[in-house]
Amino acid sequence: MSFYLPALPQATKPGLRPELGALIGRAEALYEDLDLKVVKGWKELAPGRKAIGHMPIYVPRELIHASGMLPVGIMGGGDRLEIVRGDAYFQSYICHIPRSTIELALSHRLDALDGMLFPSICDVIRNLSGMWRMLFPERYVRYMDVPQNYDPSTGGRFWRQELSELRHDLTDLGGALITDDALRSSIAAYNEHRRAIRELYEARRREPWLYPASEMYLVLRAGNLLPVEWHTEMLRVYTQLAPLEEQRREQDQSRIVLVGMFCEQPPLGLLTTLERAGCSVVNDDWMLGLRWLTGNVPLEGDPIQNLANAFLTQSVSTASKYEPHGHRGKWLVESVRRNRAEGVVFCAASFCDPALLDQPMLISALDAAGIPHTQFKYSEDSGQFAVIREQAGTFSDSIRLWSEA
Ligand code: SF4
């Protein structure tokens, strides 16, 4: 299958049937690939190929794809990178992801990237984009501001202009001329990709015990590095294979929605800890950039306009996005109901302003709807989960006790 290309050391996850073990082994190898070996390998498959990195959350990957380049999602160094120089660039009271991202770049692990996009997530990412310009003046850098106004004649016009500028930049950078037809065919590839993700989420919503959180996270995260067509294939194969594991049975766990992991990533061990503590994840905000647009982008008409409209009318709700209709907790209450969740676990990166400033409003909405919740913080390099396990375990137990009562 194409998602095994280009070759990384192939490890098989023990305890699973061979096909699923190989797929999860591949996803794990991609998770560990901080040097972007797979991106280098992809570039070597044909002369002149280029890759564009981007920080978490949304950038219009369709445009990069249509230029013949590879969009590459960068999510920091996690707990697999020693910070040597990155700390010197940031004060201590901000989150961890900018330090590890700078460390990745200064240690030449991101050299496979021919440019970098910094979507408008928060002030930290805005500052990081400025640092990037100073540290790497020879590389293409663009800060992608997104609409803060959802009126098509204002925010829509602005976003259309941003998309058009990026379209020209990518061609100037040596990508192919992005024709309308090329962009339509990229939009079609991403529509298919988003459909495959929705199908996986729907399957997990029905039978979460078949799709363990740590496994599903790895499979989804592989989409940061793989070409979209390969990742669509991986998602579909995983959705089919996971239910074949006979040892996966429904357990006495609480169905929870996880909120707050949209930017700095949790250590993988934290997800395993949550599951062992009795929490069965039925919805989350992982890799939102891959599923930012919630429906299909139309293929007829002006493709740039269609992408701009999709941002305004069918994008996810999250802390780092302006909410045009106020009531910031509405989407969360709806998510709990739609996914038949029994509670919400707020699990955000320490010092993550967007996530932590949103929490009081989300909590008010949950309280008003009578939905239980708990919260804790992590850092991408956290190593100890004992306290989280106790807290999540108590939360899950209390949900089960209340439901029995
Ligand atoms: S973790 Fe939060 S504060 Fe840090 S860069 Fe991401 S969105 Fe910004």
Side-chain angles (χ1 to χ4, degrees), residues 118-391:
F118 293 84
S120 169
I121 306 175
C122 66
D123 290 347
V124 173
I125 296 295
R126 185 187 285 271
N127 294 344
L128 185 61
S129 75
M131 269 183 214
W132 217 265
R133 275 182 217 282
M134 289 194 280
L135 285 169
F136 310 107
E138 72 291 355
R139 297 192 202 165
Y140 174 73
V141 179
R142 185 178 178 89
Y143 180 75
M144 300 263 346
D145 232 334
V146 295
Q148 303 295 320
N149 173 315
Y150 282 60
D151 181 338
S153 64
T154 311
R157 203 166 135 216
F158 162 79
W159 186 232
R160 187 192 154 87
Q161 181 63 26
E162 287 287 298
L163 296 175
S164 302
E165 284 179 17
L166 179 63
R167 179 186 200 169
H168 288 121
D169 281 4
L170 292 171
T171 303
D172 287 350
L173 193 60
L177 183 71
I178 304 177
T179 63
D180 281 358
D181 278 344
L183 186 50
R184 282 189 198 101
S185 107
S186 297
I187 289 173
Y190 279 90
N191 280 345
E192 200 53 33
H193 183 237
R194 288 184 285 263
R195 185 175 300 122
I197 295 176
R198 287 198 299 273
E199 286 165 4
L200 174 56
Y201 270 72
E202 176 54 25
R204 181 182 66 171
R205 188 184 76 79
R206 289 193 303 267
E207 298 171 302
W209 57 91
L210 296 177
Y211 304 91
S214 50
E215 201 174 84
M216 187 151 151
Y217 173 87
L218 285 172
V219 172
L220 205 60
R221 184 158 167 165
N224 280 330
L225 298 186
L226 293 177
V228 64
E229 300 83 357
W230 299 3
H231 192 237
T232 302
E233 185 187 8
M234 181 186 242
L235 289 162
R236 294 238 151 96
V237 173
Y238 175 68
T239 307
Q240 286 165 9
L241 290 181
L244 304 181
E245 295 295 314
E246 283 149 12
Q247 77 278 18
R248 293 184 178 173
R249 304 231 163 80
E250 184 168 9
Q251 291 174 7
D252 185 20
Q253 290 192 307
S254 304
R255 295 172 65 96
I256 60 119
V257 173
L258 256 187
V259 182
M261 298 177 168
F262 52 86
C263 183
E264 181 171 320
Q265 296 301 287
L268 207 48
L270 194 156
L271 299 180
T272 317
T273 298
L274 284 178
E275 286 188 306
R276 289 192 182 142
C279 295
S280 182
V281 179
V282 290
N283 200 16
D284 56 68
D285 52 8
W286 305 329
M287 280 19 102
L288 279 188
L290 302 181
R291 51 203 181 98
W292 187 262
L293 305 178
T294 53
N296 283 343
V297 180
L299 300 178
E300 308 76 33
D302 178 349
I304 288 279
Q305 190 61 49
N306 291 343
L307 281 175
N309 292 346
F311 190 101
L312 298 188
T313 61
Q314 47 172 348
S315 50
V316 295
S317 294
T318 184
S320 73
K321 191 189 122 182
Y322 172 69
E323 194 59 62
H325 308 299
H327 194 347
R328 293 194 69 83
K330 189 163 172 254
W331 64 268
L332 183 54
V333 172
E334 284 172 0
S335 168
V336 168
R337 295 200 168 128
R338 193 174 54 252
N339 292 291
R340 292 186 290 109
E342 297 161 288
V344 171
V345 174
F346 292 100
C347 192
S350 293
F351 300 109
C352 175
D353 276 358
L356 298 173
L357 290 173
D358 235 24
Q359 255 184 36
M361 288 177 277
L362 301 181
I363 285 173
S364 295
L366 294 179
D367 285 343
I371 298 167
H373 51 83
T374 189
Q375 66 261 13
F376 45 79
K377 289 179 259 183
Y378 64 84
S379 167
E380 61 179 0
D381 62 345
S382 306
Q384 297 294 325
F385 307 117
V387 174
I388 291 179
R389 182 168 183 158
E390 276 169 21
Q391 190 178 330

